Structures are given as structure tokens and as C-alpha cells.
Amino acid sequence: MASAIPTLTHMAFVRLFEEGYLKFLVSQNVDGMHRKSGIPPENLAEVHGNTNLEKCMKCKKEFMRDFRVRNAAKVTDHKTGRKCTACNGDLCDSIINFGENLPKKALEDGFNNCGKADLCIALGSSLRVTPAADMPASTASNGGKLVIVNLQKTSLDDAAAFVIHGMCDEVIKLVMQKLGIEVQPFKLKRRVKISLGDVVKPKPGKALHVEGIDIDGTPYSLFSKVVAVINKVTTTSEKEPFIFKLPAPVPAEAAITLYFQAHYSEPPANIIIPLTGLQAKIFL
């Protein structure tokens, strides 16, 4: 799953969102493909969680990882063994197992958006798992139109304005052709935030901070290691947070090499960072 890529349907949703047709997306999948495809997190409800997302039990801060975060042996144990960098609280995976409550915000966002939608399209779901299945039902009950695309019959077929028994990619391909919208292939995007910060130990000074981030600024563990060359001195960091103490006075620039988790065979990325006047800079 770490090297999986979004399908044509995933990328069609991105284009529909960009063109203003798609307002909100509810996903019952835990593979994180919709977020990876480029759907903004604020327009997405992953009601059963995301295998790459973990949350702090204490301060609720979220962290994206370029690897599967769940590692507990027991179904009811969600602790990942990692700690929050903001408050040192325990981090937990976001996966929802059978019998567990769905996340409150995802539920509220899903029902609010489905309830006021003119059109809800349910694709590739039997619509038998509640309360997620109740969301498209609310579109129909509130006067909107429900369209279902699934190979088999679903429990909401009778409430739907239209039912298509077919493969999602095949149906969406025809829809996009009808709309005259070209679906762009998936392109892997990586974002890194590089900033200057203060350090107090072993003595006061400045440090270079290197951090992977998601589209919304959520911390994202993308790198296996980072190498910095500062004043011809090479320093390697293989553990987050990636922080490099700077000599005084602060040099004019630093050379950074980013080594990715490489699930997609990404080559190392080399970046020259001007340090004069640097506050924070994001590279894509």
C-alpha cells in the first residue's frame, strides 16, 4: 500500500473539485488515496481513518507518515509507540475498527455536506455499513438526487434517482468525456518546509529546521535522512526532528540533501538554501 497510486477515479475527483463541481468527498477507505491524490483535507472526510495518519491523544495534533502507522497487535490498541513533538503525548493511529465510534468531525462534515447536496454520487460501495451509508441516504431524503455506481445491488437502490452497475473507472471516464474535462495523471508531490529557529543548548544560537509537510501544513514524515553541508562541514541526521545547529555568524547558505522513504523510487533531492533573512520557506 505504501507505493500504491491513485486511480483514474481518484484523479477525476481532483479535476471535478478544481472545476467547482465537487464540493466535498466522503471516503470509507483507509488507504489515504484521496488525500494523496490532491483533495484538500478540509474537503475530505475519511470516516474510517487513514492508514498514514496518526493523532496525539493529548493535544490532538495530527501527523502524516509515508508509511503505515498502525503496528499494534491488539485490535483495540491504537498506540503507535511514537510521541507528539508538540506536547510529548502518545500518538495513536486513526483507523476505525468494527464496533468503534467514528470520528466526530468526519461524521458531522459528512452528514452536513450530504444533507445539503443537490447531487450525491456513491461509487464502489455496498452502502451497508452505517452510519457512513446513512450519509448518501440523507441527500435523497432532503430532496437531492442520489446516483449509485456499483457492480452489485445496494441497500439504497430504491432511494436512488439513477443506478449504474459498472466499474467506477469506466463510468467516471465516460462522465469526464461528457463534461469535456481532461483527467490528469497522478503526479507525486513532496513538500518540505525549511526554516531558521533558535536553540538554547548547549549554547544560544540559530539552527536550520527541515520538515516534510502535507498540503495543509500537517507534519509529514517523508525522509529517511537529511544531509546538510554548512561551511564545508557535512552533518547527517537520520531521525526527526531534522535540526542542524548553525555556526556564528550564520553563513550565507546551506546545501541540503533530502533522502526520501523511497516507496516511489524517488531520487535524493538537493537544495541550496539562502540563509540570509530566512524565516520559513516551502519547497515543492
Side-chain angles (χ1 to χ4, degrees), residues 14 18 44 53 60 92 102 116 145 163 179 182 216 226:
V14 174
E18 293 171 345
L44 172 66
L53 178 69
K60 309 306 179 184
C92 290
L102 271 62
K116 64 184 180 183
K145 291 185 177 180
V163 177
L179 292 173
E182 182 180 359
D216 63 341
V226 177

Side-chain angles (χ1 to χ4, degrees), residues 247-262:
V250 174
E253 64 179 27
I256 302 294
T257 301
L258 307 171
Y259 292 85
F260 296 92
Q261 305 282 346

